[in-house]
Amino acid sequence: MDNTAKWRTPPLKHPYLKVSQLLVLASLFYFCSGIIQVNKTVKEVAVLSCDYNISTTELMKVRIYWQKDDEVVLAVTSGQTKVWSKYENRTFADFTNNLSIVIMALRLSDNGKYTCIVQKTEKRSYKVKHMTSVMLLVRADFPVPSITDLGNPSHDIKRIMCSTSGGFPKPHLSWWENEEELNAANTTVSQDPDTELYTISSELDFNITNNHSFVCLVKYGDLTVSQIFNWQKSVEPHPPSNQQQLWVILILVVSGVIAVITAITGGCLAHSKYYHAIILTSISGSPNSIGMCQHFSEVLVSSLLVSPSSTHSLDRHFKDTYYVSSSLLGTGVTNNDSVPPRHIPLESIFFPLTLYFLGGAGAWKLI
């Protein structure tokens, strides 16, 4: 016959103990969840309340203890206050505000649970009349890092430094570019012995001939802070292209031509009265008129080279020639008549010169 062993929980001799244990656990849960929490940052002031009031006369009959974990912070006995050395000169009691304690210049080491205990004498012994706890959380966040230009250790190399301070716990700094970690130089970490806060800095060298976008990342605990540094390489001026050089040459040539035309135009305007005679002579189109126009053109071109002092003789020569041509063509102009006035269009300035340089009777026939 097979024997099978069966296990079962033996019945409780005192089942009411289980219920009492549950009540204790529930009360503990309620007590823990009801702890007051005070959030502060390093170097600030924290006020922790005992949440208990007594009169001034009762201070001689009670004992008040403020302790952090198992370490005494402040004690009041027989109306006398004593502060332990770690909190001395920055902690005091405020009896008018629910028996609170005030802790100044908070440090990271001040983090923890503080308990206030009030004892009164009964039958020649002290018994606990009140107890409460306060959770103090001291933060120390690192500010956003700053990046400083340290100059150029060599021709194409620049050095920058990323730094931040005033945080906790111990930080780690890294440089990143395009999601790749870079090799940093001279990374230093220091801690203030009084505040226990950390300071960290790191340097980075890079080539200035390329564009860069660096990320300085500082990680402490589960938190991070970062700063971005962008670098744009300098743009060197490009030499002018062949097309630009051709445009410059063309502009210079055109400017020179305009200058020459302007100079010639100034001389032509001074002798514009002769153009009218040439134009009138050329209207008939006869062989004699063609010869006269060629002769007038020669006289006019040569007049551009004559100094102002010779203008009078030129006028005499041109007038005689104009009189002869008028007699041959039957225009009725006498030797005593004056040369026609200068009221002619500007276009006629270039007309006789063009005919002269073209030359020949064939050019005149094109008119």
Side-chain angles (χ1 to χ4, degrees), residues 162-175:
C162 179
S163 62
T164 184
S165 61
F168 187 91
K170 186 177 181 179
H172 173 75
L173 191 152
S174 57
W175 291 94

Side-chain angles (χ1 to χ4, degrees), residues 2-276:
D2 295 334
N3 294 324
T4 302
K6 295 182 180 181
W7 297 89
R8 64 177 181 176
T9 303
L12 295 175
K13 295 182 179 180
H14 304 284
Y16 59 87
L17 292 177
K18 184 177 181 181
V19 176
S20 63
Q21 291 174 355
L22 291 175
L23 292 175
V24 171
L25 292 175
S27 62
L28 288 175
F29 175 79
Y30 175 81
F31 176 77
C32 293
S33 62
I35 294 179
I36 299 173
Q37 182 172 302
V38 176
N39 296 308
K40 293 293 179 178
T41 59
V42 172
K43 299 182 181 180
E44 288 187 340
V45 177
V47 179
L48 309 181
S49 175
C50 186
D51 197 22
Y52 189 80
N53 283 321
I54 59 174
S55 62
T56 306
T57 57
E58 291 182 297
L59 286 176
M60 302 299 294
K61 302 177 181 179
V62 299
R63 290 177 178 176
I64 305 171
Y65 297 98
W66 272 101
Q67 62 186 43
K68 177 178 176 288
D69 299 328
D70 296 330
E71 178 184 20
V72 177
V73 177
L74 179 146
V76 180
T77 57
S78 300
Q80 300 296 320
T81 303
K82 181 180 179 181
V83 179
W84 265 245
S85 59
K86 186 177 180 180
Y87 297 90
E88 194 173 4
N89 297 325
R90 65 186 189 98
T91 304
F92 62 90
D94 185 1
F95 300 118
T96 62
N97 185 19
N98 296 324
L99 301 181
S100 301
I101 61 169
V102 180
I103 305 176
M104 300 181 297
L106 288 173
R107 305 172 183 174
L108 292 172
S109 58
D110 295 333
N111 273 298
K113 185 177 72 171
Y114 292 78
T115 303
C116 175
I117 303 172
V118 179
Q119 298 177 340
K120 286 186 178 182
T121 57
E122 288 185 1
K123 298 179 180 181
R124 297 182 181 180
S125 62
Y126 285 93
K127 294 184 179 180
V128 176
K129 291 296 182 180
H130 177 77
M131 184 173 63
T132 188
S133 296
V134 180
M135 181 64 69
L136 176 61
L137 299 178
V138 181
R139 302 188 312 272
D141 296 331
F142 280 96
V144 176
S146 61
I147 298 180
T148 307
D149 187 350
L150 299 181
N152 299 64
S154 60
H155 179 63
D156 291 332
I157 301 299
K158 179 173 285 293
R159 178 171 297 169
I160 56 177
M161 180 180 68
C162 179
S163 62
T164 184
S165 61
F168 187 91
K170 186 177 181 179
H172 173 75
L173 191 152
S174 57
W175 291 94
W176 296 80
E177 184 179 25
N178 298 326
E179 299 182 355
E180 293 185 2
E181 186 172 1
L182 306 176
N183 294 324
N186 299 328
T187 301
T188 59
V189 182
S190 60
Q191 186 179 24
D192 190 294
D194 296 328
T195 63
E196 302 179 5
L197 300 178
Y198 284 93
T199 298
I200 189 169
S201 64
S202 179
E203 298 177 359
L204 179 69
D205 295 342
F206 65 92
N207 195 315
I208 62 176
T209 60
N210 300 319
N211 295 330
H212 297 282
S213 181
F214 300 115
V215 177
C216 173
L217 181 66
V218 178
K219 183 177 181 181
Y220 59 104
D222 297 331
L223 302 176
T224 59
V225 289
S226 62
Q227 181 65 278
I228 298 176
F229 178 84
N230 294 316
W231 173 262
Q232 295 292 330
K233 64 180 181 180
S234 59
V235 179
E236 298 180 356
H238 297 286
S241 61
N242 294 333
Q243 185 177 3
Q244 292 176 333
Q245 292 177 351
L246 291 177
W247 274 107
V248 172
I249 295 174
L250 180 60
I251 292 174
L252 293 176
V253 171
V254 172
S255 301
V257 172
I258 293 175
V260 172
I261 293 175
T262 303
I264 296 175
T265 303
C268 291
L269 288 175
H271 304 87
S272 59
K273 63 182 180 179
Y274 307 121
Y275 302 157
H276 192 193

Side-chain angles (χ1 to χ4, degrees), residues 290 294 359-366:
I290 294 175
Q294 289 179 335
W364 289 96
K365 291 181 181 179
L366 295 177

